[in-house]
Amino acid sequence: MTDSSRANGAPGADRTDDSLRERWQEALTRARSGADGPAPAPYADNLLARWAEPQRRYHTTAHLVAVLDHIDTLAGYAADADAVRLAAWFHDAVYRPDRSENEERSAALAERALPEAGVPDGVTAEVARLVRLTVTHDPADGDANGEVLCDADLAILAASPGKYAAYAAQVREEYGFVPDDAFREGRATVLRQLLGLPRLFRTPHGAEHWEPRARQNLMTELELLSH
């Protein structure tokens, strides 16, 4: 992975990044299954630099932390929780809101970086598959790892009303280049598609604890967009 510089003056950012580096090292070390590999730190630094790019408002390190925290909550449902954690690191590693191939480019990044970092081919393939799954957030029945990653990524939909409103505002900022009318139309289409799903969350925890509030948040946002 090519190193890149990073400027971040936000209060607490250094502590957050240090904690994330530790979480990366733990997941990577376990994924290696005892095999040797290069130092984990440069890979973490490269990924953190990507997550701190200036075009991001919602898809930031705060989102990465939240997804990893939700994966920890759901880890018992996963077949390979560390593969899911690595997929969380890569799932928005390439993010340009004006492009449609972000997930594919993020998966390709994982396919290049993880073998170099000492991760076995099978785990690398699973991480890349999971990253590509975030295009649809529609895991097949029995896809335990996919269910955990998708639920963790969508858990923001079940946030408190205030946090959900902040999330919606950040998404709008990321798409600031889109005129208001076009954004409202496109966002409303996304919300209706989500509300049309038989289930937003696939894990038992997500279905029980997140589904009702998420649907209420989505309906509230959709109503606000129509005014």
Side-chain angles (χ1 to χ4, degrees):
M1 296 175 76
T2 302
D3 192 19
S4 58
S5 59
R6 185 167 186 265
N8 193 332
D14 289 343
R15 290 192 299 275
T16 298
D17 285 3
D18 287 345
S19 175
L20 282 168
R21 288 185 184 95
E22 291 177 6
R23 296 173 84 164
W24 165 262
Q25 180 169 338
E26 290 169 0
L28 179 64
T29 299
R30 289 192 294 262
R32 286 172 172 172
S33 300
D36 292 331
Y43 296 89
D45 289 345
N46 180 280
L47 287 164
L48 288 170
R50 293 173 179 274
W51 282 90
E53 291 165 341
Q55 75 275 14
R56 299 169 182 256
R57 294 295 182 272
Y58 170 67
H59 295 88
T60 65
T61 51
H63 173 57
L64 174 59
V65 169
V67 173
L68 290 171
D69 287 348
H70 292 309
I71 290 170
D72 287 347
T73 298
L74 302 173
Y77 300 112
D80 185 345
D82 287 310
V84 180
R85 291 184 177 101
L86 293 177
W89 275 88
F90 282 95
H91 84 287
D92 285 320
V94 178
Y95 183 74
R96 289 286 300 272
D98 58 337
R99 295 181 181 175
S100 61
E101 72 277 11
N102 291 315
E103 292 85 359
E104 179 57 36
R105 293 177 67 201
S106 294
L109 178 67
E111 289 170 330
R112 295 194 304 272
L114 290 176
E116 179 184 300
V119 174
D121 291 346
V123 178
T124 295
E126 175 65 355
V127 170
R129 182 189 73 83
L130 291 169
V131 172
R132 292 185 172 102
L133 186 59
T134 62
V135 174
T136 62
H137 292 94
D138 187 20
D141 290 342
D143 181 2
N145 289 339
E147 290 177 347
V148 169
L149 179 62
C150 290
D151 278 17
D153 196 25
L154 293 180
I156 183 61
L157 301 181
S160 66
K163 289 184 178 179
Y164 183 90
Y167 146 74
Q170 290 166 345
V171 171
R172 179 66 185 106
E173 289 180 31
E174 286 187 338
Y175 287 87
F177 57 91
V178 178
D180 285 342
D181 288 347
F183 178 81
R184 282 196 295 268
E185 181 179 351
R187 180 69 176 170
T189 298
V190 171
L191 297 177
R192 291 190 187 98
Q193 289 172 343
L194 288 170
L195 287 166
L197 294 173
R199 292 179 297 164
L200 291 167
F201 299 102
R202 306 299 183 88
T203 64
H205 180 93
E208 179 180 356
H209 296 285
W210 298 339
E211 185 90 16
R213 177 178 284 178
R215 289 191 175 276
Q216 182 59 56
N217 283 333
L218 291 170
M219 288 188 291
T220 298
E221 185 185 358
L222 184 59
E223 182 178 352
L224 291 172
L225 286 172
S226 65
H227 288 78

